[in-house]
Amino acid sequence: MEVEAVGGLTSSPRVPIQPVGITAELADARAQLREAAPSEHWKGVQEEVSRLQFEQRMSPLAALHTVYAKLASGWLPHVPRS
């Protein structure tokens, strides 16, 4: 049996996939939160997002927005001393 080789995609360059819909909203909210949070507090910020999702039954997007608002009002999570 002979198998013919399949040619590569030479006619059009590959374009990265752009998220749309809720995926894009989550990515944007997470990026804004990351920019707003001091790096030494990032782990605590992520834990607060998770806590709100679990304890308050918030959607991921609502939890991200809530924590962003908390940061904007001056809240910072506790950083344990090493």
Side-chain angles (χ1 to χ4, degrees):
M1 173 193 302
E2 287 187 38
V3 178
E4 292 183 31
V6 177
L9 295 174
T10 57
S11 62
S12 63
R14 292 185 182 236
V15 178
I17 296 173
Q18 296 294 324
V20 294
I22 191 66
T23 303
E25 289 182 54
L26 284 168
D28 289 342
R30 193 172 293 116
Q32 288 176 351
L33 187 61
R34 183 69 181 108
E35 286 179 23
S39 60
E40 63 272 9
H41 293 276
W42 180 239
K43 184 177 179 184
V45 167
Q46 291 176 306
E47 289 171 354
E48 181 66 3
V49 170
S50 295
R51 185 190 72 76
L52 290 172
Q53 287 178 276
F54 179 72
E55 291 179 7
Q56 303 295 319
R57 299 197 183 277
M58 287 186 174
S59 70
L61 187 58
L64 289 166
H65 285 299
T66 300
V67 175
Y68 182 82
K70 288 176 75 168
L71 284 171
S73 70
W75 171 84
L76 287 174
H78 175 72
V79 177
R81 296 182 186 232
S82 306

